[in-house]
Amino acid sequence: MADLQEPLVRPKKKKALVDYLVKFRWIVVIFVVLPISSLIYFNIYLGDMWSALKSEKRCQKQHDENVQKVVKRLKQRNPKKDGLVCTARKPWIAVGMRNVDYKRARHFEVDLSAFRNILEVDKERMVAKVEPLVNMGQITRYTCSMNLALAVVAELDDLTVGGLINGYGIEGSSHLYGLFSDTVVAMEVVLADGRVVRATKDNEYSDLFYGIPWSQGTLGFLVSAEIKLIPIKEYMRLTYTPVKGTLKEMAQAYADSFAPRDGDPAKVPDFVEGMVYTDAEGVMMTGVYASKEEAKKKGNKTNSVGWWFKPWFYQHAQTALKRGEFVEYIPTRQYYHRHTRCLYWEGKLILPFGDQFWFRFLFGWLMPPKVSLLKATQGESIRNYYHDNHVIQDMLVPLYKVGDALEFVHKEMEVYPLWLCPHRLYKLPVKTMVYPEPGFEHHHRQGDTSYAQMFTDVGVYYAPAAVLRGEVFDGAQAVHRLEQWLIENHSYQPQYAVSELNEKDFWRMFDASHYEHCRQKYGAVGTFMSVYYKSKKGRKTEKEVQEAEAAILEPAYADEA
């Protein structure tokens, strides 16, 4: 397999104006994006504090009133004139890199901006009831002081509950609890006809409960969710283990770090992630919750990685390659958000000197820039440049195929570092859009159980080496080949990313049966866009909107005949 790991040879690229705009984009980031971002973050913080001061009763009353506003707004829509329904959020505000181009065509907007409150933390049921615009920074600030946390806390502060449920969310605890949507106990949804329903896995709306994840908000409006809480401790005892060898050897070391071959549950950590820095070096990290008393014991080292002047986390972890395996204690909330300040390692591209001590000490408190502002200030040419010369993709692959995935990425893209994070993919009562390999439970592979197959998110975020060397790189073709590899290997591409999938290939990757059942049963056809249409790359014209509406309405009317 060694020959497959050799990257493709590419010719040199001629410089264009956009190359220089990207190279010196840091000027706009420092003088425009960072100052405005800090003001927005401060304003959000004040709003979160004000929300936290409200009683649960008052929050619930406001929630009920806002839900009725959504219902009233939906009933004002004229299907013949107003187009398909979507939220009123501006296209550039989403954290994901996919262009929200469907909002540039005719559509009917419903404002959900008021849904950003934590409604209840039920310590007896161990459930948090929250609105969809509550983000990870807000929820951890609220619950960690109680020694509680969501079972799965996505790393970046700005990621919202609604996005993580309707789309995709993962964290280092997902090898125990599954994806973010797997930790949801109940969902409150406003349907196309204005009905407000509560869906759980065992009530009359159980099909809707299983249909919402990965649907991208195309079955109804999620207005609140009840999510599983777990008890936590004040610190995370984190072990950094360097690994050197081939990509497949690193993949095996990664699997061994959290899925012991002897099946001993005592050896399974609370958290795990891996970072592959080159095709020959990586660091695997495993974390276990620890008390404040344990962390403060003589001889134990604590590290508050969240301070603005601290080295960026991925670079700190990389030091294990020189110093060898080491252990330290990180405050739990700071550990949850360890990748926020530098946006994994994308911060190095945005601000090439952002990791230097002088910048971190003087200006690190301004980090990170808001992704929405980065998108709002980039313009069409820079946006297209990033699509062609930059990769932000996640590959959800079965654990036993991680080595193959690493070799594929090295050959096709040569992007480093790579992020590895495992997650369970459960065998559910219905076949949802994403599902384990048929018959996986009979193979007894490492990490699998009788009820869930172990998958891994291979995060590919950075400029390919060819681009850094000044060579030609066709991002669209590279992503297309990646998507074909995923389809052929029963793997998945989260829909926040830019996709080159046509409709046929989209439904080869994802299963449409249960999703389409829910769309027709709950009246989403003709009201909400289909998930493929919403994820599709490129602008939608007025004619395309009308054709899409007609194409999805005709089968529904045929079924009623």
Side-chain angles (χ1 to χ4, degrees):
M1 297 291 290
D3 59 323
L4 294 179
Q5 296 182 18
E6 292 301 322
L8 301 175
V9 178
R10 299 177 172 91
K12 288 291 184 179
K13 176 189 173 185
K14 293 182 179 180
K15 292 283 187 180
L17 175 62
V18 69
D19 292 287
Y20 295 100
L21 292 176
V22 171
K23 183 177 180 179
F24 294 103
R25 183 158 157 70
W26 60 266
I27 298 173
V28 175
V29 173
I30 284 183
F31 293 105
V32 178
V33 176
L34 281 180
I36 297 177
S37 293
S38 65
L39 292 175
I40 293 174
Y41 283 128
F42 183 65
N43 185 57
I44 291 173
Y45 173 78
L46 292 179
D48 292 347
M49 291 297 98
W50 172 245
S51 175
L53 292 174
K54 299 176 187 176
S55 67
E56 291 182 353
K57 184 177 180 180
R58 181 180 175 187
C59 286
Q60 185 61 53
K61 181 182 178 182
Q62 288 182 346
H63 172 78
D64 293 339
E65 292 172 352
N66 289 328
V67 169
Q68 289 308 308
K69 290 178 183 178
V70 172
V71 172
K72 181 180 178 181
R73 174 64 175 159
L74 275 175
K75 290 183 176 179
Q76 291 173 346
R77 173 178 173 261
N78 183 337
K80 295 181 179 179
K81 296 181 180 179
D82 291 328
L84 297 172
V85 174
C86 63
T87 66
R89 186 173 64 173
K90 298 300 180 185
W92 45 269
I93 290 180
V95 174
M97 299 310 295
R98 169 174 54 86
N99 295 331
V100 194
D101 285 322
Y102 59 86
K103 290 192 176 181
R104 291 181 165 89
R106 180 171 60 94
H107 58 275
F108 183 81
E109 292 186 346
V110 177
D111 187 5
L112 300 182
S113 60
F115 291 89
R116 52 187 327 115
N117 292 310
I118 298 171
L119 301 176
E120 181 184 12
V121 172
D122 190 329
K123 296 180 181 180
E124 291 186 7
R125 293 176 58 218
M126 289 297 283
V127 165
K129 185 178 181 182
V130 300
E131 292 181 321
L133 292 183
V134 169
N135 65 35
M136 294 298 99
Q138 180 182 357
I139 190 70
T140 56
R141 189 182 300 115
Y142 193 88
T143 62
C144 283
S145 61
M146 309 175 192
N147 278 356
L148 297 173
L150 301 182
V152 174
V153 180
E155 290 90 347
L156 302 183
D157 288 28
D158 278 354
L159 296 174
T160 63
V161 167
L164 295 168
I165 294 174
N166 281 304
Y168 158 79
I170 193 173
E171 165 58 306
S173 59
S174 289
H175 65 299
L176 298 175
Y177 302 106
L179 298 176
F180 189 89
S181 56
D182 293 317
T183 67
V184 176
V185 176
M187 307 178 198
E188 184 184 14
V189 182
V190 181
L191 300 177
D193 61 3
R195 284 182 296 156
V196 181
V197 302
R198 181 176 181 269
T200 69
K201 65 180 179 180
D202 52 11
N203 73 358
E204 61 183 306
Y205 300 106
S206 61
D207 53 356
L208 183 63
F209 178 84
Y210 288 118
I212 289 286
W214 292 80
S215 70
Q216 297 292 320
T218 60
L219 297 178
F221 284 126
L222 178 72
V223 290
S224 76
E226 297 167 44
I227 309 170
K228 179 179 180 179
L229 290 168
I230 60 171
I232 63 171
K233 297 179 181 179
E234 297 90 344
Y235 281 82
M236 186 67 65
R237 181 183 185 274
L238 197 63
T239 301
Y240 302 79
T241 304
V243 178
K244 297 184 180 183
T246 66
L247 290 171
K248 286 201 170 181
E249 287 170 344
M250 283 191 278
Q252 186 58 58
Y254 156 74
D256 291 341
S257 71
F258 69 92
R261 301 190 197 192
D262 60 6
D264 184 358
K267 298 178 181 177
V268 179
D270 295 322
F271 275 77
V272 61
E273 71 177 329
M275 284 185 266
V276 181
Y277 292 95
T278 70
D279 62 345
E281 294 181 327
V283 176
M284 307 305 153
M285 287 148 282
T286 54
V288 178
Y289 286 114
S291 65
K292 184 177 181 180
E293 292 72 25
E294 178 184 342
K296 298 296 183 180
K297 281 183 180 179
K298 186 176 180 180
N300 289 343
K301 181 181 178 181
T302 59
N303 183 9
S304 297
V305 298
W307 284 102
W308 77 90
F309 54 83
K310 287 282 189 171
W312 290 353
F313 183 76
Y314 83 96
Q315 294 179 339
H316 171 65
Q318 192 175 10
T319 63
L321 293 172
K322 291 184 176 179
R323 59 191 286 194
E325 182 174 291
F326 67 96
V327 177
E328 63 184 10
Y329 292 79
I330 300 174
T332 297
R333 185 170 183 269
Q334 293 187 25
Y335 174 77
Y336 285 155
H337 302 294
R338 62 200 178 279
H339 292 300
T340 290
R341 195 155 42 96
C342 56
L343 300 174
Y344 288 91
W345 29 89
E346 285 289 320
K348 183 68 174 174
L349 283 178
I350 299 166
L351 290 170
F353 44 79
D355 58 341
Q356 300 299 306
F357 177 75
W358 66 268
F359 182 88
R360 287 189 278 111
F361 187 79
L362 295 175
F363 304 108
W365 56 276
L366 290 169
M367 293 290 282
K370 279 196 75 68
V371 174
S372 57
L373 279 179
L374 289 172
K375 292 164 67 176
T377 57
Q378 66 186 9
E380 191 74 16
S381 61
I382 294 179
R383 184 176 78 163
N384 292 334
Y385 175 92
Y386 284 136
H387 285 180
D388 292 335
N389 297 279
H390 187 251
V391 179
I392 296 185
Q393 295 285 338
D394 287 88
M395 305 168 64
L396 309 189
V397 305
L399 177 60
Y400 73 95
K401 293 186 176 182
V402 169
D404 294 334
L406 294 179
E407 290 187 341
F408 174 85
V409 172
H410 179 73
K411 175 178 178 286
E412 293 287 342
M413 298 176 174
E414 203 180 354
V415 170
Y416 292 101
L418 297 171
W419 188 60
L420 303 178
C421 184
H423 70 89
R424 280 177 168 164
L425 191 57
Y426 290 99
K427 184 169 63 172
L428 300 174
V430 296
K431 191 176 183 182
T432 55
M433 284 181 63
V434 297
Y435 56 95
E437 291 179 302
F440 75 89
E441 64 273 24
H442 303 305
H443 295 282
H444 307 289
R445 295 188 183 98
Q446 188 174 8
D448 292 354
T449 65
S450 60
Y451 53 86
Q453 184 177 12
M454 192 64 73
F455 271 58
T456 283
D457 181 341
V458 180
V460 188
Y461 326 124
Y462 210 61
V467 174
L468 299 177
R469 292 191 296 260
E471 299 170 358
V472 172
F473 181 81
D474 189 333
Q477 275 301 312
V479 169
H480 174 71
R481 288 192 291 269
L482 178 146
E483 290 165 343
Q484 295 306 308
W485 189 94
L486 292 174
I487 291 170
E488 292 164 5
N489 288 275
H490 194 93
S491 302
Y492 302 99
Q493 174 194 47
Q495 297 142 335
Y496 80 88
V498 175
S499 171
E500 301 293 334
L501 290 169
N502 58 35
E503 189 165 10
K504 179 181 178 181
D505 283 342
F506 185 89
W507 292 119
R508 286 176 63 210
M509 181 180 291
F510 301 101
D511 189 86
S513 55
H514 185 73
Y515 170 74
E516 291 297 342
H517 157 80
C518 289
R519 274 181 64 77
Q520 296 205 22
K521 179 178 177 180
Y522 294 105
V525 175
T527 301
F528 297 101
M529 305 170 190
S530 74
V531 66
Y532 170 71
Y533 179 77
K534 193 169 183 180
S535 304
K536 180 184 176 184
K537 181 181 175 182
R539 293 186 178 229
K540 281 74 177 176
T541 65
E542 182 77 9
K543 182 179 178 182
E544 285 178 317
V545 173
Q546 293 172 345
E547 289 175 349
E549 290 173 357
I552 58 180
L553 278 169
E554 287 172 5
Y557 290 144
D559 289 343
E560 293 174 4

